[in-house]
Amino acid sequence: MTAASSSFSLQGKRGLIIGLANEHSIAYGCAAMVRQLGARTVLSCVNAKAHQFVAPLAAALESTLVVCDVEQEGSLEALVDAAVQELGELDFVIHSIAWAPLDDLHGRVIDSSSAGFLRAMNVSCHSFARLTRLCEPHLSKSASIMTMTYLGADEAVAHYGIMGPVKAALESTVRYLATELGPAGIRVHAISPGPVPTRAASGLQDFDVLMQKAVARSPLGRLVTLDEIGRLAAFLVSDASSGMTGQTLYVDGGYHIVN
C-alpha cells in the first residue's frame, strides 16, 4: 500500500454507528463502507422490531447490534457501555437518527406543538450532544464524530417543516462541540446528503418531488448514492481528514450551490 492510499485505510479503527433501519438507511451505507475499509463497528437500531429485520445486516458486517431508543432513559448509556465493552476505545462515532411527530412535521412551523417540537429536538439534535458526552471519556486521540443534516437547515425547503429549525440547531451544535473538543484533538462534523430514498425521508410530504428537483437542478444531474455518503463518512473517519473540524460537508451532487 502506498503512503497516499494508506491514509484512507480504516484498518484498526473502531466506532459506534447509531440509526440502522434497513439496507437503504444512511447508517447502513456508512457502516458498510467503513467495514469494507477495515473498521470494526457496533451498530444500533431503535427497537426490538427493527432488531429482528436488521440483525442479518449487522451480522453480514460482523458487527454487534444493540437496541437504543434515545427517548428511553438509560438507553444511550447502555449503548455506549456495550460499544466500549466490545471495542475498547472509540475512534469514531456516527449519529444518523432524526424524527418528528407526523402532525408537526406535516404542518406549518408556526403551528407546531411545544411537545412535538421538543421531541423532535431531543431525538434529532440533543441526542447528538448526549451521545458525544457519553463517548467523550472513551474517545481515542484525534477521534472523529459526525452527524447527518440536510440543506433545509440553511434554506426554507417546502414540506421540511420543523426539521429545518431542528437541523439548524444540530449544525450549530456541531460547531460548538468542535470548539469544545478540539483541544483534545477530537473532530466533529455534519454531513449533508442530498435527498435519498430512506425510510425516514418517506415521512416527508412530496418527497418524490424533492428528489426530482434534485436530479433536475443539481450540477451532476442525479441523486447521490449511499456508497457516496459512506465514502465521505469514511474520509472523515480516516487520518486523511485530520486537519478538519466543525464543518458541514455536502454530498448532494452540487445541489446546494444552485439558486
Side-chain angles (χ1 to χ4, degrees):
M1 184 176 288
T2 66
S5 61
S6 65
S7 62
F8 288 91
S9 171
L10 302 185
Q11 196 68 42
K13 298 283 190 183
R14 301 151 296 175
L16 171 61
I17 302 176
I18 74 169
L20 188 65
N22 55 36
E23 69 273 22
H24 304 297
S25 60
I26 289 174
Y28 177 74
C30 293
M33 187 57 63
V34 300
R35 182 73 187 104
Q36 180 180 322
L37 294 173
R40 295 171 57 210
T41 58
V42 167
L43 311 175
S44 85
C45 61
V46 69
N47 54 35
K49 181 179 179 180
H51 189 283
Q52 176 184 352
F53 290 102
V54 299
L57 299 177
L61 297 175
E62 302 176 293
S63 299
T64 298
L65 179 63
V66 180
V67 171
C68 178
D69 179 350
V70 299
E71 292 193 281
Q72 298 298 315
E73 186 174 352
S75 191
L76 265 179
E77 288 82 355
L79 171 62
V80 173
D81 286 347
V84 171
Q85 183 174 353
E86 174 87 15
L87 302 172
E89 277 192 327
L90 300 175
D91 301 300
F92 62 93
V93 179
I94 300 177
H95 172 275
S96 184
I97 60 173
W99 180 86
L102 285 181
D103 287 346
D104 293 290
L105 182 62
H106 291 167
R108 302 189 307 169
V109 173
I110 198 171
D111 296 323
S112 61
S113 67
S114 294
F117 197 103
L118 289 173
R119 287 187 70 188
M121 188 68 76
N122 180 42
V123 173
S124 310
C125 179
H126 193 246
S127 66
F128 178 60
R130 290 165 53 210
L131 177 64
T132 302
R133 175 176 57 80
L134 292 168
C135 290
E136 183 180 9
H138 310 291
L139 295 173
S140 62
K141 185 177 180 181
S142 75
S144 178
I145 303 171
M146 62 202 81
T147 188
M148 301 296 155
T149 185
Y150 178 62
L151 183 64
D154 281 333
E155 298 182 6
V157 175
H159 307 300
Y160 201 54
I162 63 171
M163 289 307 299
V166 169
K167 290 294 190 181
L170 181 63
E171 291 186 14
S172 181
T173 299
V174 164
R175 291 188 288 271
Y176 278 89
L177 296 188
T179 301
E180 293 165 358
L181 299 177
I186 298 165
R187 299 171 287 128
V188 187
H189 288 103
I191 293 175
S192 185
V196 289
T198 64
R199 179 178 295 174
S202 67
L204 298 174
Q205 289 183 325
D206 295 329
F207 186 69
D208 287 345
V209 174
L210 193 64
M211 290 193 293
Q212 292 166 9
K213 187 176 179 181
V215 170
R217 295 184 57 191
S218 65
L220 293 185
R222 60 175 177 83
L223 300 178
V224 296
T225 67
L226 289 182
D227 278 355
E228 289 171 324
I229 299 168
R231 283 196 289 270
L232 176 54
F235 168 70
L236 293 176
V237 169
S238 78
D239 296 336
S241 63
S242 60
M244 300 167 59
T245 195
Q247 299 182 64
T248 295
L249 294 102
Y250 293 91
V251 52
D252 64 354
Y255 182 79
H256 70 283
I257 68 172
V258 180
N259 290 326

